[in-house]
Amino acid sequence: MADKGLEKLFHETLKDIYYAERQILKALPKLARGAQAPQLKAAFEKHKEETQGQIERLQQVFEIIGKPARGKTCDAIEGIISEGEEILDEFKGDPALDAGLVAAAQAVEHYEIARYGTLKTWAEQLGLSEAVKLFDETLSEEKKTDADLTKLGVSAANVTAKKAA
Ligand SMILES: [Fe+2]
Ligand SMILES: [Fe+2]
């Protein structure tokens, strides 16, 4: 672990995603309440449970590097989440609401996939093999969620198209 710069980047990015995950944990129940299709509600609820576990994995990574589990404000996730909240407001009662919520949630998943992919690579380079395993577990949950959302998005957009026809 000689690379001081990379160690610092790793720690800063860990704080970023820790903050982001906790914001996501708060946002998911709002999305679940707002969603119209029961399958979409269920997907948001399931991912809330997973997110809780992901936060615990991040706490384990903080422990591995001997730092306190602390977040750092992440403007990117705040922006992505407020866009989702705007959709909840602006499309309330509209058949297109679910399609909009799926799109918003996929933006969140893609942000997370980017962050965790980077963290995993850096953990490999820093020789943090336990952390690599933890990031891998989270990455598969995020990718699975993204794939499920893609399917739900197709059916949500179909509903909208049918109602419009
Ligand atoms: Fe997550
Ligand atoms: Fe996620």
Side-chain angles (χ1 to χ4, degrees), residues 21 24 47 51 54 112 116 138 142:
E21 288 287 16
I24 294 165
H47 200 47
T51 299
Q54 295 172 354
E112 293 182 290
Y116 281 113
T138 295
E142 308 293 24

Side-chain angles (χ1 to χ4, degrees), residues 29-100:
K30 293 184 213 167
L31 296 179
R33 275 197 300 276
Q36 293 166 332
Q39 305 94 300
L40 185 57
K41 269 185 196 296
F44 287 142
E45 271 152 21
K46 177 183 172 216
H47 200 47
K48 187 191 158 242
E49 297 308 310
E50 286 173 338
T51 299
Q52 186 62 59
Q54 295 172 354
I55 290 172
E56 283 159 26
R57 283 189 201 114
L58 289 173
Q59 290 164 344
Q60 284 176 257
V61 178
F62 277 109
E63 236 180 86
I64 291 170
I65 62 167
K67 306 268 190 207
R70 234 177 256 145
K72 180 185 75 177
T73 307
C74 166
D75 295 327
I77 204 68
E78 294 207 328
I80 293 171
I81 290 174
S82 30
E83 284 183 5
E85 285 168 350
E86 255 171 55
I87 288 172
L88 273 173
D89 280 353
E90 285 173 24
F91 288 85
K92 204 173 175 166
D94 191 304
L97 174 66
D98 279 4

